[in-house]
Amino acid sequence: MAARAMLTIKSLTSVLQNGAKSAGLGLVAAYSRGLQTFTLPDLAYDYGALGPAISGEIMQLHHQKHHQTYITNYNKAIEQLEDALAKGDSAAVVKLQSAIKFNGGGHVNHSIFWKNLTPIREGGGEPPKGSLGWAIDTHFGSLEALIQKVNAEGAALQGSGWVWLGLDKEFKKLVVETTANQDPLVTKGANLVPLLGIDVWEHAYYLQYKNVRPDYLKNIWKVINWKYASEVYEKESS
């Protein structure tokens, strides 16, 4: 039982790390007492730089409070896991899986999300070019059609979660998927690579848009960093 639990938890951690690696994220920041620990990544822009699409107040709270909380709890769960494995406490190992998935997923997802955004003055909202632009036209008909699909699925998602544009490496096609809570896209399929993820938890928009999620989804495209998505697509589709 303990061996099976260890394999399960290692598989779960591997899923999170592989999802991050595919998106070009280096999330392991340091080691503490021999354990991998994770730290809050810096943003490539100031908190207020995404306005008026996303306010500086939202960005600061989202980054410093919400993302940091996922990291803190992820590190705590990993430390508890190591202790449980050392003691052979299989029940504790199994119990910790949900905390690792939720908080580890929150860290992976938000680390992608920050890279998916960029100020308008630095190219935010500029349509994708090259092979990703061609692939979007091929699979969805147009960028406008893709945006409509993402917005519709994001608005319809019940509760909290994410809406994704991903690359299915097995079938070599683009897909739009939603995930609940902080589940990373890779939980929908081992061959799925996230190109673009939009956080539809209320903490991502409520201070500015109240409960009108569709308005948030409409405006976020003004600061989407298609250059980053294109770089990931080029790397993973070659």
Side-chain angles (χ1 to χ4, degrees):
M1 176 66 177
R4 292 182 61 186
M6 184 184 298
L7 289 173
T8 302
I9 206 74
K10 284 186 176 180
S11 298
L12 178 56
T13 304
S14 177
V15 163
L16 294 173
Q17 292 178 337
N18 287 340
K21 184 177 180 181
S22 296
L25 303 173
L27 300 185
V28 179
Y31 283 82
S32 175
R33 295 193 305 150
L35 298 178
Q36 289 184 349
T37 60
F38 299 83
T39 58
L40 188 67
D42 293 332
L43 300 186
Y45 40 81
D46 294 334
Y47 289 130
L50 301 181
I54 305 177
S55 72
E57 182 181 16
I58 286 177
M59 288 299 298
Q60 185 170 6
L61 287 171
H62 199 171
H63 182 248
Q64 290 185 353
K65 302 298 183 181
H66 292 280
H67 190 174
Q68 180 61 64
T69 297
Y70 295 123
I71 293 170
T72 299
N73 290 334
Y74 189 28
N75 288 333
K76 181 180 178 181
I78 291 173
E79 183 176 356
Q80 292 174 336
L81 172 64
E82 291 292 323
D83 290 341
L85 289 172
K87 296 174 183 177
D89 187 348
S90 57
V93 170
V94 172
K95 185 177 180 180
L96 284 165
Q97 291 184 65
S98 60
I100 289 176
K101 180 182 180 183
F102 181 78
N103 293 293
H107 181 34
V108 169
N109 291 348
H110 283 86
S111 296
I112 296 170
F113 184 57
W114 309 136
K115 290 180 176 290
N116 284 152
L117 305 174
T118 197
I120 294 174
R121 65 176 180 271
E122 297 178 15
E126 291 183 2
K129 302 175 182 178
S131 58
L132 178 58
W134 180 85
I136 288 173
D137 288 343
T138 299
H139 292 107
F140 301 102
S142 67
L143 177 61
E144 291 72 22
L146 167 63
I147 291 174
Q148 289 179 5
K149 181 176 179 60
V150 170
N151 287 359
E153 297 206 14
L157 182 64
Q158 294 185 354
S160 301
W162 293 74
V163 58
W164 302 91
L165 171 65
L167 169 65
D168 187 324
K169 296 186 67 173
E170 180 179 1
F171 295 102
K172 301 185 183 303
K173 67 176 184 178
L174 298 179
V175 297
V176 172
E177 293 278 358
T178 60
T179 57
N181 300 313
Q182 291 298 345
D183 290 0
L185 178 60
V186 71
T187 61
K188 284 294 188 75
N191 296 305
L192 296 181
V193 176
L195 305 178
L196 170 66
I198 298 179
D199 188 347
V200 294
W201 280 65
E202 284 192 342
H203 65 232
Y205 61 86
Y206 194 84
L207 286 177
Q208 185 172 358
Y209 294 97
K210 306 306 180 192
N211 63 332
V212 189
R213 187 189 289 176
D215 284 354
Y216 159 70
L217 289 167
K218 176 183 177 181
N219 286 318
I220 199 172
W221 296 99
K222 299 173 183 176
V223 291
I224 288 296
N225 186 2
W226 283 110
K227 181 180 179 181
Y228 168 76
S230 295
E231 289 172 352
V232 177
Y233 179 78
E234 291 281 355
K235 175 184 175 183
E236 296 296 334
S237 62
S238 60

